[in-house]
Amino acid sequence: MSSPGGPLPAGGPAALEAEVRAAFTPVLPPTGLGAESFDDLLGYLPTHTVRPSHPFTAAHLHCSPDPVAVEADQLVAALNPSQDSWDQSAATAVIESCVISEFSALAFGEPGAGSVTSGGTESNYFALLLARDAALSRAYAVDAAESGIPASAAGRLRILTSDVAHFSVARAAAQLGLGERAVVSVPVHEDHRIDPAALAQAAQRIDAAGDTLVAVVATAGTTDAGAIDPLAECADVAGEHGAWFHVDAAYGGGLLLSNVRRSMLAGIELADSASVDLHKFGWQPIPAGLLLARDPLALDAISRRVAYLCAPDDEAAGYPNLLGRSLRTTRRPDAVKILAASRHHGLDGYTRMIESCFAQATYVAAAIEARPEFELALPPALTTVLFRYRARHGDPDRVNAEARRALLAAGSAVVGRTALPGGGPGSVRLKFTLLRPETTFAELDALLELVAAAARACDVPSS
Ligand SMILES: Cc1ncc(COP(=O)(O)O)c(C=O)c1O
């Protein structure tokens, strides 16, 4: 059921599951199958896995991996260092420090601190953990790492973020014992950027109620529209209320790599922390997240001293304690592939790659506007384009959703599907997420044509 030429296998989930189970189970046969079994996998997976390197894979912040980074990743897998102690890592520990300080300097203008993470979800969690502990220390004189959340603070801690912030912010609040209700969603303007006046009012209401504002979380590159919140204004609100300012730049943080677009992130230098995912707009193989912190000592709070990993006399003798660098213990040196690709391309190379993706977004938005059967939702802010097919016979939400599934089932294209803020009937939109610098305008035209043909076929009266 492979689909020659397409970015994914044809046939849909149920048929694929049956095929995979038949070919590759039992996972643990009583007698080993030897090298041939790996050849089978090698032959099968490349044509039966969604391929982000295909020009018609355009749904998610799921980039085509840079061959240089892939090679570095293979090197790391073969060497198998672990970043939790110097005696399991050596050079890779230094490489991680170098990567963190240079990326922090790009964000904040100075080398701060940070962590290589599994992605935006972990980075947002990490930032909010630091924010929670800072707020509890400030407002309740409590060391939360030691004693948890005091009863007097329960239900009183708040996080402000926009209506379209990534769901990992609310999930982190739940995991950190604040509860999802601690997250107060602030409305966005039509361009999906937070309304700064509403943000300021929400912060005042929190103060007036005697609650504690733990953090303001701005988004630099929302998942769907790529909108960048007004970062400096968000920083002002956080500053006025003594709160942590975190920028979720999981997507837009890639702009740090562009000499042309970096200024779109103006205000990020005011943040206490920022999430940047190089496995999104940075062409790294998954995972390649960064949690960057402006204060060089910001991560000290998570450090631990453990006899088997970092004895004090080892440290006194110059062997660094690495436990203050991550929430994880055993950990791959994902910084190595970041270093390898960064040195290969340099800022000028990344600038060109990013410009190509911006040009594609501009091109495809204009192409959508030029075709009456499509409706553009809003001008692209980064490299995503939200639109829908104007159904003439069927319910527009159903027609657009079915068209996307038809493309998936045929194995011909992976197009995104989301809902405009607020949701509800009429809110379904299709999405192109353009992260592949090599894609040509002709390929974008062909992708648009595939969507149009699929949508026409689905545009029948609803039964
Ligand atoms: C704005 C934003 N933040 C955080 C995340 C979560 O990142 P990850 O999936 O790498 O954990 C995403 C994912 O798309 C995102 O778009």
Side-chain angles (χ1 to χ4, degrees):
M1 52 180 288
S2 76
S3 100
L8 78 163
L16 182 77
E17 177 167 348
E19 195 177 89
V20 172
R21 285 184 184 281
F24 299 108
T25 58
V27 172
L28 269 175
T31 308
L33 303 175
E36 239 174 65
S37 62
F38 183 64
D39 290 345
D40 292 346
L41 199 60
L42 210 56
Y44 185 84
L45 276 191
T47 48
H48 291 81
T49 301
V50 172
R51 288 185 295 291
S53 54
H54 194 284
F56 295 169
T57 301
H60 297 285
L61 291 160
H62 179 203
C63 63
S64 162
D66 183 337
V68 180
V70 170
E71 225 178 295
D73 218 16
Q74 283 168 351
L75 174 67
V76 156
L79 296 173
N80 210 26
S82 179
Q83 299 292 84
D84 49 326
S85 66
W86 195 92
D87 62 2
Q88 299 175 88
S89 55
T92 56
V94 188
I95 287 175
E96 181 165 40
S97 299
C98 298
V99 165
I100 290 293
S101 57
E102 286 201 30
F103 277 83
S104 287
L106 280 176
F108 307 123
E110 52 194 308
S115 187
V116 180
T117 69
S118 58
T121 302
E122 182 186 337
S123 299
N124 286 342
Y125 171 86
F126 201 155
L128 290 173
L129 169 73
L130 298 175
R132 181 198 70 177
D133 291 0
L136 287 171
S137 165
R138 182 185 79 239
Y140 293 86
V142 160
D143 177 356
E146 183 70 29
S147 12
I149 301 177
S152 52
R156 313 223 68 149
L157 304 176
R158 297 282 177 270
I159 294 167
L160 285 173
T161 195
S162 93
D163 263 347
V164 293
H166 192 259
F167 71 89
S168 55
V169 172
R171 190 187 251 185
Q175 291 166 347
L176 289 165
L178 276 64
E180 291 207 18
R181 271 198 232 138
V183 179
V184 179
S185 292
V186 177
V188 292
H189 290 306
E190 258 179 28
D191 59 4
H192 294 213
R193 300 170 83 217
I194 199 166
D195 174 349
L199 176 68
Q201 283 158 13
Q204 273 154 16
R205 279 196 296 274
I206 287 168
D207 263 7
D211 294 340
T212 300
L213 181 56
V214 169
V216 172
V217 179
T219 310
T222 57
T223 314
D224 287 334
I228 300 177
D229 285 336
L231 303 181
E233 286 167 85
C234 295
D236 284 348
V237 174
E240 275 161 31
H241 296 266
W244 190 275
F245 178 40
H246 176 65
V247 178
D248 178 359
Y251 174 17
L255 302 184
L256 292 172
L257 297 169
S258 164
N259 294 327
V260 174
R261 306 278 171 177
R262 193 174 306 123
S263 58
M264 291 173 72
L265 298 175
I268 198 170
E269 71 283 359
L270 304 170
D272 293 294
S273 56
S275 304
V276 174
D277 278 356
L278 297 172
H279 58 239
K280 295 187 168 48
F281 208 3
W283 301 286
Q284 285 289 330
I286 299 162
L290 299 175
L291 181 270
L292 304 173
R294 186 159 41 88
D295 175 358
L297 304 179
L299 270 61
D300 284 8
I302 62 141
S303 193
R304 291 288 177 279
R305 183 163 301 291
V306 177
Y308 81 98
L309 290 172
C310 49
D313 54 318
D314 281 351
E315 198 172 349
Y319 292 86
N321 173 1
L322 306 185
L323 291 181
R325 295 188 182 186
S326 177
L327 295 172
R328 289 178 276 161
T329 308
T330 300
R331 191 162 67 85
R332 309 176 81 237
D334 290 314
V336 173
K337 61 191 180 186
I338 297 174
L339 171 99
S342 301
R343 284 173 64 80
H344 180 90
H345 297 289
L347 287 172
D348 61 337
Y350 280 128
T351 301
R352 283 192 297 275
M353 289 156 81
I354 290 168
E355 281 314 287
S356 170
C357 297
F358 270 89
Q360 290 171 38
T362 306
Y363 176 83
V364 92
I368 285 167
E369 286 206 293
R371 294 178 69 147
E373 76 254 63
F374 287 124
E375 175 193 324
L376 184 70
L378 72 170
L382 295 182
T383 65
T384 58
V385 182
L386 290 173
F387 68 104
R388 69 173 169 176
Y389 178 80
R390 288 183 208 269
R392 285 185 302 147
H393 307 292
D395 168 60
D397 287 351
R398 180 190 56 74
V399 170
N400 281 276
E402 279 185 9
R404 173 183 175 275
R405 283 196 296 272
L407 293 169
L408 286 177
S412 49
V414 189
V415 171
R417 171 242 174 109
T418 190
L420 292 177
S427 66
V428 169
R429 291 295 179 277
L430 300 176
K431 176 170 69 165
F432 290 157
T433 302
L434 303 166
L435 298 177
R436 187 174 173 275
E438 309 79 32
T439 299
T440 62
F441 292 166
E443 285 167 335
L444 293 173
D445 285 336
L447 177 59
L448 210 47
E449 191 44 50
L450 272 179
V451 175
R456 263 180 240 127
C458 296
D459 190 10
V460 291
S462 306
S463 49

